[in-house]
Amino acid sequence: MGFTGRGTVWMNGTLVEWADAKIHVASHVIHYGSGVFEGIRCYDTPKGAAVMRLTPHIRRLCDSAKIYRMPVPYSMAELEAAALQTIRANGFRACYVRPIMYRGYGALGVTPGSCPVDTAVLVWEWGAYLGVAALENGVDVCISSWTRMAPNTFPSQAKASANYANAQLIRMEAETNGYHEGIALDVFGYVSEGSGENIFVVRDGVLYTPPLGGSILPGITRDSVITIAGDLGYRVEETFVPREMLYTADELFFVGTAVEITPIRSVDRITVGDGRRGPITHAIQPNSGTLEMMRPHSDWERESRLSNRYRQI
Ligand code: PMP
């Protein structure tokens, strides 16, 4: 992740210089992981810079805060405006947008007590998460020895900083062992998701993806892909996915804001399909191979029911 380290950061309603966007080391979030955040992409489209599905992202941010009893200091409209203002202020045409709400400086007991809920929005230029080549050639992944959190432990529906302790373990183990990414099983042994992305399995022309009860984050890209695949005439089933379905799949791919739509070419060194991006993965990747792959192209605009996916800057 390459920070440009420049520009401004929105903090509690004020734009401050990147270098000045600091918090105190006694902030609750540092000690107890009490933050919720979002990851959103802004694309350089033919109509100008546009944010992909801003409203569902901000809604998920507010849902995450609600789950953690965190009073949200702004309305959804204000949070959307803050994201747009920060992008505009930094003049990016394509960037990654990171709104974050966290328990700040005030008390250091586990109960957040008098800690304020602080809000920030950072933007930076971030290319292909697993590398540009991965979007076409696919990635090598493993099943992680780390399991996703069990239901009723850390809520997987919240995009909470604390959940990324689990994600870090999955990702670090995978990289240490020479893989691009790890896939975690849920506590029952079914496939859950990657450290930072949802997963789809293709077999005999049908798409399968783990259900919301599978300890997954309800991904916005997952939701888009379900709609787009349906619009393209494919059947999509949200169902429990046994591990072995990954090995026998015709195609596999990750989906997420950062990873976009990335084919998986092997799992545990077992080749998936013929070891390269399959036709259905390709059909769902609108303009594959570039950062702007998700920009609205004519097929999407004509066929997708996801109207107003983009918010012009
Ligand atoms: N799962 C996890 C754990 C993630 O961190 C992400 C990225 N936010 C996703 C799935 C994909 O979600 P989205 O498509 O909303 O980015």
Side-chain angles (χ1 to χ4, degrees):
M1 174 187 307
F3 281 128
T4 54
R6 65 184 169 89
T8 49
V9 176
W10 191 98
M11 290 186 91
N12 294 330
T14 309
L15 287 169
V16 299
E17 288 302 315
W18 182 279
D20 300 328
K22 294 175 182 166
I23 62 171
H24 198 278
V25 71
S27 299
H28 194 270
V29 63
I30 293 182
H31 300 258
Y32 304 117
S34 46
V36 296
F37 67 95
E38 271 306 314
I40 309 169
R41 275 200 194 261
C42 172
Y43 287 95
D44 184 8
T45 78
K47 294 180 195 158
V51 181
M52 176 124 176
R53 304 198 66 190
L54 179 59
T55 301
H57 278 286
I58 295 299
R59 185 172 179 213
R60 188 172 66 186
L61 179 68
C62 294
D63 287 346
S64 300
K66 187 171 190 183
I67 291 166
Y68 276 97
R69 300 176 187 273
M70 204 182 267
V72 179
Y74 300 98
S75 68
M76 278 187 51
E78 286 169 333
L79 292 168
E80 290 188 15
L84 297 175
Q85 183 192 353
T86 315
I87 299 165
R88 281 192 198 106
N90 284 279
F92 292 133
R93 293 188 62 82
C95 60
Y96 187 83
V97 186
R98 166 60 55 80
I100 184 161
M101 268 187 279
Y102 52 93
R103 308 271 195 188
Y105 177 82
L108 264 185
V110 169
T111 307
S114 58
C115 295
V117 173
D118 290 320
T119 310
V121 183
L122 299 98
V123 297
W124 68 89
E125 289 174 303
W126 198 4
Y129 182 65
L130 296 173
V132 172
L135 294 170
E136 195 171 330
N137 301 332
V139 289
D140 301 308
V141 308
C142 60
I143 302 296
S144 182
S145 72
W146 294 101
T147 301
R148 287 278 293 168
M149 49 278 188
N152 212 26
T153 58
F154 297 85
S156 71
Q157 303 240 328
K159 192 168 170 63
S161 306
N163 290 357
Y164 289 82
N166 175 256
Q168 286 174 64
L169 293 170
I170 295 165
R171 185 69 189 259
M172 288 190 295
E173 180 191 56
E175 287 183 355
T176 300
N177 292 330
Y179 299 96
H180 293 99
E181 179 60 291
I183 295 171
L185 305 180
D186 69 16
V187 74
F188 304 108
Y190 293 105
V191 173
S192 177
E193 60 180 351
S195 71
E197 52 281 306
N198 296 115
I199 188 167
F200 281 79
V201 179
V202 181
R203 169 97 177 184
D204 293 337
V206 179
L207 282 76
Y208 302 90
T209 195
L212 297 184
S215 292
I216 65 165
L217 180 76
I220 312 290
T221 319
R222 174 184 179 276
D223 178 64
S224 301
V225 166
I226 289 172
T227 302
I228 291 161
D231 288 349
L232 293 175
Y234 297 109
R235 200 170 91 212
V236 183
E237 290 192 12
E238 293 177 66
T239 181
F240 290 104
V241 174
R243 172 179 184 162
E244 57 273 26
M245 268 179 84
L246 304 183
Y247 302 138
T248 58
D250 297 329
E251 301 177 35
L252 276 184
F253 57 90
F254 280 137
V255 305
T257 298
V259 80
E260 301 174 313
I261 296 172
T262 296
I264 298 170
R265 66 183 175 200
S266 74
V267 180
D268 294 338
R269 306 284 180 221
I270 298 176
T271 302
V272 175
D274 55 11
R276 64 175 95 102
R277 179 178 60 196
I280 294 179
T281 311
H282 192 35
I284 290 169
Q285 276 182 330
N287 292 332
S288 56
T290 69
L291 177 63
E292 301 105 314
M293 57 171 276
M294 304 284 270
R295 72 164 51 164
H297 75 28
S298 56
D299 285 353
W300 275 35
E301 295 201 326
R302 193 175 61 249
E303 294 177 23
S304 177
R305 292 192 304 273
L306 293 167
S307 57
N308 300 322
R309 289 189 312 276
Y310 288 90
R311 182 71 65 84
Q312 299 299 137
I313 295 298

